[in-house]
Amino acid sequence: MPTLILVRHGRSTANTSAVLAGRTPGVALDERGLEQAAALPERLADLPIAEVVTSPLQRCRETLQPLLDARPGLPVHTEDRINECDYGDWSGRKLAELTDEPLMQVVQAHPSAAAFPGGESMRSMQSRAAEAVREWNARVERDHGADAVYLMCSHGDIIKSLVAEALGLHLDLFQRISVEPCSVTVIRYTRLRPFLVRLGDTGDFASLVPREEPPAEDATVGGDAGAR
């Protein structure tokens, strides 16, 4: 079965303003995010990418544009099932405001029971994304062969949930996974089991440098902003 490259979109204006963007329209890459996107074609230059699949949101499309410019004719498809989690009434709110919401404790410690008011549950988010991957695996194998490589550009919580699913981890453990903006995660699927061969690879270790403020003990809903 195919190898899937999962790219989280580059750093966005919502990441740097600590806002939970969700599906709010008009959220673009910031200056750093555009730099990350511009570097993506060279990072992936040696890979024979057969197809590109993207979330419909602007920040994912902007992340992919340099890659598509570098590879004219590369097929690109929009897939609603790898769209950002629908955070409902939480969308567009400052993350600092959400910290004291009782639901935040559930999101952190028991996400399989978390459902966002006016939005979707985290279980349904994972289910739709995993279903999309299974269907795209079959389609890419049919059209390009079992050794094909294809790419999906999506969002932090989506990618983390797909990694958890590939590793056989309960969704309640997915907050232990971290993927930075424009990081590359790779899952190789086989007949019997998937293999996680890259996780959150940016080629940059700046985010590991100790910071003046202690690292947060909670996971950032939607994914953190990476190295500043």
Side-chain angles (χ1 to χ4, degrees):
M1 296 179 70
T3 295
L4 170 60
I5 302 168
L6 289 161
V7 176
R8 184 183 168 199
H9 61 78
R11 198 174 73 176
S12 73
T13 54
N15 293 143
T16 46
S17 57
V19 167
L20 184 61
R23 299 179 179 181
T24 305
V27 176
L29 298 185
D30 68 4
E31 184 176 349
R32 173 61 178 154
L34 292 170
E35 292 173 356
Q36 292 170 331
L40 196 59
E42 184 174 353
R43 291 171 62 197
L44 302 177
D46 294 334
L47 298 179
I49 299 171
E51 306 261 357
V52 169
V53 185
T54 181
S55 157
L57 295 186
Q58 177 180 341
R59 53 194 182 272
C60 287
R61 292 188 168 277
E62 289 180 349
T63 299
L64 287 175
Q65 196 57 56
L67 178 65
L68 299 176
D69 290 343
R71 301 194 188 198
L74 180 62
V76 58
H77 314 272
T78 299
E79 173 56 77
D80 288 337
R81 290 173 295 178
I82 62 168
N83 198 351
E84 178 64 284
C85 184
D86 184 355
Y87 298 116
D89 297 343
W90 279 26
S91 300
R93 293 180 62 187
K94 286 278 190 179
L95 290 168
E97 297 175 2
L98 298 170
T99 302
D100 295 329
E101 293 276 357
L103 178 60
M104 181 59 86
Q105 293 181 338
V106 182
V107 170
Q108 293 294 327
H110 191 20
S112 65
F116 296 98
E120 70 177 332
S121 70
M122 301 199 95
R123 281 188 301 169
S124 65
M125 173 199 75
Q126 183 187 46
S127 178
R128 62 173 165 83
E131 178 185 51
V133 167
R134 285 191 289 271
E135 291 185 12
W136 277 99
N137 281 347
R139 175 173 172 173
V140 170
E141 181 172 4
R142 180 197 69 203
D143 294 344
H144 303 281
D147 295 329
V149 176
Y150 76 108
L151 182 150
M152 282 186 169
C153 186
S154 188
H155 307 271
D157 280 350
I158 295 289
I159 294 172
K160 288 162 56 179
S161 74
L162 289 171
V163 169
E165 200 262 352
L167 292 176
L169 295 178
H170 197 282
L171 183 62
D172 286 347
L173 300 178
F174 101 124
Q175 297 290 27
R176 303 183 184 193
I177 299 166
S178 177
V179 290
E180 292 191 18
C182 220
S183 62
V184 173
T185 294
V186 182
I187 302 172
R188 180 175 294 126
Y189 290 87
T190 73
R191 183 174 61 87
L192 296 179
R193 64 183 65 86
F195 291 89
L196 179 66
V197 295
R198 292 287 189 280
L199 176 61
D201 189 344
T202 63
D204 180 0
F205 296 104
S207 64
L208 302 180
V209 176
R211 302 179 185 179
E212 292 183 4
E213 70 278 8
E217 294 186 359
D218 286 340
T220 303
V221 182
D224 62 31
R228 297 300 177 97

